[in-house]
């Protein structure tokens, strides 16, 4: 279920005349009244001179580490909770791999509504503490986010709370479009937005990937760009790569990952992505591909990006550096390329200690 808009007549110049950030794109968002906001800034689309030189193509990084909660989950939380408030919701329940639960708890506190978050007992302690500090109810389950989803649905059915799982409500996906709109605008010129040839992004549930394809189509429909839609490269941790595996096997379905899904990229511990086939179809339709990154390369990529470009990325975001390297070696990366850093490395300092 995806939101659809009547997009005729909205002029890019008018949007550009508004203050920067998420809410300048409000006609492309499902919100009518005042949003629940923590002052989401426009995040940087950074030119990466050293990676560009190394790869021989123009490389950029969309850096989401400066958002509330220090990850791009703020994109979904501000729009998802704004919409929930408009719908009269008083209580939300959601399963999460970690960051969404922490950030939704902060925005729920801001909105003055109750939240229950269900996550794996192995989810990062940082995320558990975000929930409880914000006054949310935290429930831990044995198993993965898939088990958390079963429990969260049970709670929703018992209590009537709004079930805010990925892809069950369509609004968080809409919020994630704002990141791409900001980047397309930064890469554009005086008259139009511009798409990078390739976007390399981490894929857990795949919301960010589908949001990218959806909003590129909307931008073209609005006439704000005539560029070819970007080629999407989805990246997963080799220890939890159900979509990479299905993609490589040429399947249409995405069987659940059967191994232990442990990875330092905690946001990518999604062994049974609920809309896996749609994510895969979206990436295929874009002419893109799926890439897996080994554990040791994830941490090395965090160090690499910090040392080369000065950006301490989260492990999920850092996977994009190794994935891009793999594609460069295979002669399969078109520039300009935009890497998606989904959050701050500061939330994951423990992975840098050994
Ligand atoms: C949730 C998360 C991801 C995965 O995003 P999806 O949109 O679910 O694919 C990547 N990075 C971080 C830091 C996350 O919290």
């Amino acid at each position: 279920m995806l939101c659809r808009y009547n997009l005729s007549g909205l002029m890019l110049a008018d949007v550009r005349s508004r203050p920067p950030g998420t809410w300048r794109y409000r006609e492309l968002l499902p919100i009518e009244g005042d949003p629940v906001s923590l002052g989401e800034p426009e995040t940087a689309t950074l030119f990466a001179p050293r990676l560009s030189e190394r790869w021989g193509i123009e490389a950029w990084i969309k850096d989401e580490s400066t958002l509330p909660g220090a990850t791009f989950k703020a994109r979904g939380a501000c729009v998802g909770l704004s919409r929930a408030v408009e719908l009269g919701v008083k209580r939300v329940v959601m399963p999460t791999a970690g960051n969404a639960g922490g950030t939704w708890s902060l925005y729920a506190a801001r909105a003055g509504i109750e939240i229950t978050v269900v996550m794996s007992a192995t989810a990062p302690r940082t995320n558990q503490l975000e929930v409880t500090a914000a006054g949310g109810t935290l429930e831990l389950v044995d198993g993965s986010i898939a088990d958390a989803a079963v429990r969260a649905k049970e709670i929703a059915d018992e209590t009537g709370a709004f079930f805010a799982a990925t892809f069950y409500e369509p609004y968080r996906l809409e919020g994630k479009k704002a990141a791409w709109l900001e980047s397309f605008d930064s890469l554009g010129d005086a008259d139009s937005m511009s798409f990078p040839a390739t976007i390399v992004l981490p894929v857990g549930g795949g919301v960010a990937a589908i949001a990218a394809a959806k909003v590129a189509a909307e931008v073209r429909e609005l006439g704000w760009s005539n560029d070819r839609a970007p080629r999407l490269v989805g990246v997963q941790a080799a220890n939890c790569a159900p979509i990479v595996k299905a993609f490589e096997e040429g399947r249409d379905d995405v069987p659940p990952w059967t191994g232990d899904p442990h990875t330092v990229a905690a946001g990518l511990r999604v062994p049974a992505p609920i809309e896996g086939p749609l994510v895969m179809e979206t990436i295929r339709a874009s002419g893109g591909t799926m890439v897996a990154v080994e554990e040791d390369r994830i941490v090395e990529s965090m160090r690499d990006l910090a040392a080369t470009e000065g950006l301490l990325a989260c492990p999920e975001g850092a996977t994009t550096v190794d994935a891009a390297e793999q594609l460069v070696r295979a002669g399969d990366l078109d520039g300009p390329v935009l890497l998606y850093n989904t959050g701050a490395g500061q939330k994951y300092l423990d992975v840098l200690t050994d």
Side-chain angles (χ1 to χ4, degrees), residues 243-302:
I243 304 181
V244 178
K245 185 163 189 287
F247 189 94
E248 286 174 352
E249 290 171 357
R251 309 176 67 109
D252 292 323
D253 61 333
V254 177
W257 188 252
T258 47
D260 174 6
H262 187 76
T263 165
V264 295
L268 306 186
R269 292 178 200 159
V270 185
I274 183 99
E275 289 286 359
L278 178 62
V279 177
M280 199 160 59
E281 184 191 309
T282 302
I283 287 180
R284 272 197 192 121
S286 78
T289 189
M290 292 289 307
V291 177
V293 175
E294 298 291 340
E295 257 342 81
D296 57 338
R297 295 301 311 158
I298 297 176
V299 179
E300 271 318 299
S301 297
M302 284 175 76

Side-chain angles (χ1 to χ4, degrees), residues 70-73 97-100 166 172 176 201-209 266-268 270 314-317 341-344 348:
T71 75
F72 84 121
K73 288 303 194 297
N99 281 319
T166 308
R172 69 160 82 182
K176 291 183 180 187
L201 79 172
V203 170
V207 184
L268 306 186
V270 185
C314 61
E316 297 86 345
N341 176 37
T342 45
Y348 301 77

Side-chain angles (χ1 to χ4, degrees), residues 12-285:
L12 180 57
D14 292 338
V15 166
R16 282 176 169 175
S17 70
R18 302 170 184 170
T22 301
W23 307 107
R24 65 159 45 173
Y25 303 110
R26 56 185 315 138
E27 287 89 347
L28 294 174
L29 300 173
I31 310 298
E32 276 146 29
D34 287 337
V36 179
S37 173
L38 286 166
E40 306 68 42
E42 174 174 344
T43 66
T45 300
L46 290 169
F47 181 60
R50 296 185 184 86
L51 293 179
S52 298
E53 202 187 316
R54 191 194 288 174
W55 296 338
I57 57 171
E58 213 180 287
W60 297 78
I61 304 168
K62 177 62 168 168
D63 177 27
E64 301 271 79
S65 63
T66 54
L67 289 165
T71 75
F72 84 121
K73 288 303 194 297
R75 303 267 181 202
C78 66
V79 171
L81 274 162
S82 295
R83 187 68 189 138
V85 167
E86 284 187 358
L87 293 171
V89 167
K90 300 278 182 271
R91 185 170 173 200
V92 167
V93 57
M94 70 189 305
T96 176
N99 281 319
T103 304
W104 277 66
S105 295
L106 295 165
Y107 275 91
R110 184 77 171 170
I113 66 180
E114 278 181 57
I115 187 164
T116 299
V117 173
V118 189
M119 62 175 91
S120 166
T122 61
R125 180 128 174 88
T126 306
N127 298 136
Q128 300 183 24
L129 293 173
E130 283 174 323
V131 174
T132 52
T137 303
L138 175 66
E139 200 174 304
L140 299 177
V141 296
D142 288 333
S144 74
I145 185 174
D147 304 287
V150 172
R151 177 62 192 136
K153 183 73 171 63
E154 245 170 52
I155 296 172
D157 291 344
E158 281 163 18
T159 63
F162 183 74
F163 185 51
T166 308
F167 291 117
Y168 275 88
E169 57 79 48
Y171 309 118
R172 69 160 82 182
L173 185 145
E174 295 300 303
K176 291 183 180 187
K177 296 188 312 191
W180 306 119
L181 287 164
E182 290 173 9
S183 279
F184 298 162
D185 209 11
S186 295
L187 298 174
D189 59 22
D191 304 314
S192 40
M193 289 189 170
S194 185
F195 302 148
T198 312
I199 291 176
V200 184
L201 79 172
V203 170
V207 184
I210 292 175
K214 182 172 190 282
V215 77
E218 288 170 357
V219 164
R220 284 173 54 91
E221 188 184 334
L222 281 159
W224 293 355
S225 175
N226 295 319
D227 290 352
R228 187 189 174 284
R231 185 175 185 232
L232 300 177
V233 175
V235 191
Q236 300 200 293
N239 284 352
C240 183
I243 304 181
V244 178
K245 185 163 189 287
F247 189 94
E248 286 174 352
E249 290 171 357
R251 309 176 67 109
D252 292 323
D253 61 333
V254 177
W257 188 252
T258 47
D260 174 6
H262 187 76
T263 165
V264 295
L268 306 186
R269 292 178 200 159
V270 185
I274 183 99
E275 289 286 359
L278 178 62
V279 177
M280 199 160 59
E281 184 191 309
T282 302
I283 287 180
R284 272 197 192 121

